[in-house]
Amino acid sequence: PLRAPLIRAPPLRAPTLRMINQDRPPSSPPRPLPASTPRQRNMQNAASASVGAVVTSLFVTPFEVLKVRQQACGSSGCGMVQLGQTLVRAEGATAFWAGLRPTLLMAVPSTVLYMGAYEHIRDAIQAAAARRRNGGGGALASLAPMLAGGSARVVTVVVAAPLELLRTRMQAAPAGGAAGG
């Protein structure tokens, strides 16, 4: 039987990242990263939440447009593929992003509001739990993420509900209609 020759490769080494401490000599200890302030962390969270909301909206809006148009079709049995083809022929490919402006106007602030409210409420619950540690605060601390998430979502939904209605109306209307955009 024929065997392939064994090839000995040099051992693999993990890549090293030295961007932060590139200018220091190898013998000196690494410099710590500068600590971020609460304001900087809030700005970073807001920026990352905003980018995530924009990217999500760009990818999800076409499916939401198809869903809303299919619901408007009623019981006539519009299929998604057929509806998509009809939409492109009648209104052009940009019709898939009908209502994107109100979606972004709703998604970006809502996401930032949710993140801020979640962190604020969670921190408040954890602080209250720390004060009541001997009196059953441990159970409260373990529920903090769930309570904060639910409370933050309620706040966000109440604020965003009017824009949600506007967005749905724009997605249901044909291009050039009274509610188009």
Side-chain angles (χ1 to χ4, degrees):
L2 295 174
R3 290 188 179 181
L6 293 176
I7 299 173
R8 293 192 184 245
L12 296 176
R13 285 191 239 168
T16 58
L17 297 176
R18 293 185 43 149
M19 287 188 232
I20 303 269
N21 299 310
Q22 212 168 1
D23 57 336
R24 70 174 179 83
S27 60
S28 65
R31 288 188 316 235
L33 292 173
S36 59
T37 65
R39 180 179 166 87
Q40 287 172 326
R41 280 193 302 276
N42 288 342
M43 293 303 289
Q44 290 168 349
N45 287 345
S48 64
S50 298
V51 169
V54 168
V55 170
T56 300
S57 296
L58 288 172
F59 282 106
V60 171
T61 298
F63 296 107
E64 289 184 354
V65 168
L66 285 173
K67 177 190 74 168
V68 169
R69 297 283 179 101
Q70 189 176 33
Q71 289 170 346
C73 231
S75 60
S76 63
C78 302
M80 284 286 202
V81 174
Q82 177 189 6
L83 188 60
Q85 291 171 343
T86 304
L87 190 62
V88 169
R89 270 189 245 116
E91 301 175 37
T94 57
F96 283 110
W97 286 273
L100 181 62
R101 277 179 274 172
T103 298
L104 292 174
L105 285 172
M106 179 183 65
V108 172
S110 294
T111 305
V112 172
L113 175 64
Y114 175 81
M115 297 289 287
Y118 172 80
E119 288 185 8
H120 181 73
I121 295 167
R122 183 199 61 210
D123 293 347
I125 293 170
Q126 288 175 340
R131 288 190 301 270
R132 296 178 44 190
R133 191 63 71 189
N134 293 336
L140 183 60
S142 64
L143 293 174
M146 183 181 68
L147 294 172
S151 301
R153 182 56 59 199
V154 167
V155 169
T156 304
V157 167
V158 167
V159 170
L163 284 172
E164 178 78 26
L165 177 63
L166 175 65
R167 179 182 64 98
T168 303
R169 284 186 178 174
M170 288 179 80
Q171 289 175 342

